[in-house]
Amino acid sequence: MKVDLGDSDEQIAEGEKLSEILTNKKSYASILNYMSKIGYELVNAFNLTDNYNGSGGNKNYRIIYEHTT
């Protein structure tokens, strides 16, 4: 499903490119370093842990960036 958030075609293309580059990185530091190198600044980072009936749960990390250049 695609949701229209009002992004321009250029923003969508850049997001898809970054998603492809950063998918399955082994280290969060490598993602932070790469994003910093291309002009983004870390705004916030947090993790979400979900547990259902003692199943051990899932961990999801959210990293928020802002373009600085």
Side-chain angles (χ1 to χ4, degrees):
M1 171 186 348
K2 289 210 173 209
V3 177
D4 184 357
L5 299 175
D7 293 340
S8 69
D9 291 340
E10 293 82 16
Q11 289 171 313
I12 292 170
E14 180 69 14
E16 290 173 353
K17 181 178 123 185
L18 288 173
S19 180
E20 186 174 317
I21 291 168
L22 298 174
T23 297
N24 295 322
K25 289 290 184 209
K26 303 261 187 231
S27 159
Y28 293 108
S30 67
I31 294 172
L32 293 170
N33 290 338
Y34 178 81
M35 295 298 285
S36 177
K37 185 170 72 172
I38 63 170
Y40 286 84
E41 179 180 334
L42 178 65
V43 173
N44 197 356
F46 54 95
N47 70 37
L48 304 170
T49 302
D50 183 28
N51 192 348
Y52 181 73
N53 286 339
S55 65
N58 296 317
K59 288 190 176 189
N60 296 291
Y61 295 95
R62 300 292 186 254
I63 303 172
I64 314 285
Y65 295 95
E66 175 180 62
H67 200 268
T68 57
T69 55

